[in-house]
Amino acid sequence: MAASASTAASLRLAFPLLSAPATAASSSTLRFPAHRRRAPRALAVAAFKKLSEAAPLAIPQEPTEPLADEDALPPKPGVYGVYDPAGELQFVGISRNVRASVEGHRRKVPADLCASVKVAIADEETPDRTVLNNAWKSWMEEHIAATGKAPPGNVAGNYTWIGAPHRPPDLRLTPGRHVQLTVPLEQLIDRLVKENKVVAFIKGSRSAPQCGFSQRVVGILEAQGVDFVTVDVLDEEHNPGLRETLKAYSSWPTFPQIFVGGELVGGCDIISSMAEKGELAALFQK
């Protein structure tokens, strides 16, 4: 299972029903202007068939041909896996309407990737999101345990099955170097990390990190599905003096630096280790 956890940590946890439309990344000047936790429900993975137990249903190649009848492929919440003509699993997804999701893939994904589908439908009409997510993870882990690899469509950076993730603009501490700060830079940093749940100070922008460690951190945070903001420490035009000031503020000499709930968690090595052990997801749920 250690191999499964390590592989899963590198995956983009991409749920089709929750995907945001892709938009062009840009930057914005920082503007300074709290989510009630819901009691967790018992996870009901056992209510779903295993991937190996589900029977494949053919997906007609012609869009004008109807899908399987609604008894076999219902417009209900569940988890599904799409296979190519050779029987290789290409993508595992979850949806509030499995039939609609499969229909969407049939119309948009190349035919040589979309030949059949396995589905497992939730017992409840409106299952908790956590229940669906857990069923998705169960199917992923079962496939990884059997093959040693993730389905191609679920690997980070593959946007064949879902659109590229929405990436909010990087935050800027000032409108430009020509603007004189009215408060100390340390105070701006303090307000920033305390008013945003997750902040990543990286080298480069979120859409184009300028070092491998920053790229790794962005990938991990996106894979966790957590909302986070980024600040480019190399942007001397809009964040002048940030690198040295942040080192003094955090007592941490290198970048990237990730803050959660106003507290420094660490850099790339610590974030990577926590993600592999499942500790990062637990931290974000606090």
Side-chain angles (χ1 to χ4, degrees):
M1 184 59 70
S4 298
S6 177
T7 305
S10 68
L11 303 181
R12 182 190 68 246
L13 304 185
F15 308 128
L17 74 159
L18 303 174
S19 299
T23 59
S26 59
S27 297
S28 65
T29 300
L30 177 63
R31 295 182 176 86
F32 293 107
H35 170 74
R36 184 180 65 185
R37 289 190 63 192
R38 180 168 53 184
R41 294 176 54 181
L43 300 183
V45 174
F48 289 85
K49 294 179 181 177
K50 292 183 177 180
L51 175 64
S52 57
E53 296 173 345
L57 302 170
I59 299 176
Q61 299 301 299
E62 291 296 327
T64 55
E65 296 183 44
L67 292 172
D69 63 65
E70 292 193 359
D71 288 336
L73 187 59
K76 295 181 178 180
V79 58
Y80 62 94
V82 184
Y83 291 76
D84 65 16
E88 295 291 330
L89 182 62
Q90 294 295 316
F91 179 71
V92 176
I94 60 174
S95 177
R96 293 290 180 185
N97 185 331
V98 169
R99 187 180 184 87
S101 293
V102 173
E103 178 64 41
H105 294 321
R106 178 172 70 148
R107 295 180 181 277
K108 298 177 182 179
V109 175
D112 60 353
L113 299 178
C114 195
S116 62
V117 62
K118 290 185 176 183
V119 301
I121 302 301
D123 290 338
E124 303 176 40
E125 287 293 327
T126 56
D128 185 86
R129 172 181 171 178
T130 305
V131 173
L132 289 175
N133 291 358
N134 207 55
W136 179 88
K137 292 176 184 177
S138 179
W139 273 35
M140 289 290 294
E141 290 172 357
E142 181 183 349
H143 177 74
I144 292 171
T147 66
K149 60 183 180 180
N154 294 100
V155 175
N158 185 322
Y159 303 128
T160 301
W161 299 85
I162 64 171
H166 169 61
R167 288 176 169 168
D170 303 299
L171 294 184
R172 293 171 170 175
L173 295 178
T174 73
R177 186 191 292 271
H178 63 283
V179 178
Q180 184 174 359
L181 293 178
T182 58
V183 296
L185 186 55
E186 294 88 343
Q187 186 175 335
L188 288 181
I189 294 171
D190 189 65
R191 290 166 62 180
L192 171 62
V193 300
K194 290 178 179 177
E195 294 182 5
N196 294 275
K197 183 174 181 179
V198 183
V199 182
F201 293 93
I202 63 174
K203 291 183 177 181
S205 67
R206 181 168 179 167
S207 59
Q210 295 300 303
C211 78
F213 297 120
S214 294
Q215 184 175 33
R216 171 80 173 148
V217 162
V218 169
I220 290 173
L221 294 177
E222 289 185 343
Q224 293 290 324
V226 66
D227 290 331
F228 68 100
V229 297
T230 54
V231 183
D232 181 3
V233 299
L234 300 181
D235 184 359
E236 283 295 323
E237 175 61 30
H238 300 95
N239 305 320
L242 176 59
R243 276 181 290 178
E244 296 307 316
T245 305
L246 183 59
K247 289 178 184 179
Y249 175 86
S250 63
S251 299
W252 194 269
T254 59
F255 299 99
Q257 295 185 19
I258 296 82
F259 288 76
V260 178
E263 300 292 332
L264 175 69
V265 176
C268 182
D269 289 345
I270 292 176
I271 292 296
S272 298
S273 177
M274 292 180 69
E276 291 176 0
K277 296 176 182 177
E279 297 172 352
L280 201 55
L283 176 64
F284 292 147
Q285 291 172 2
K286 290 182 179 179

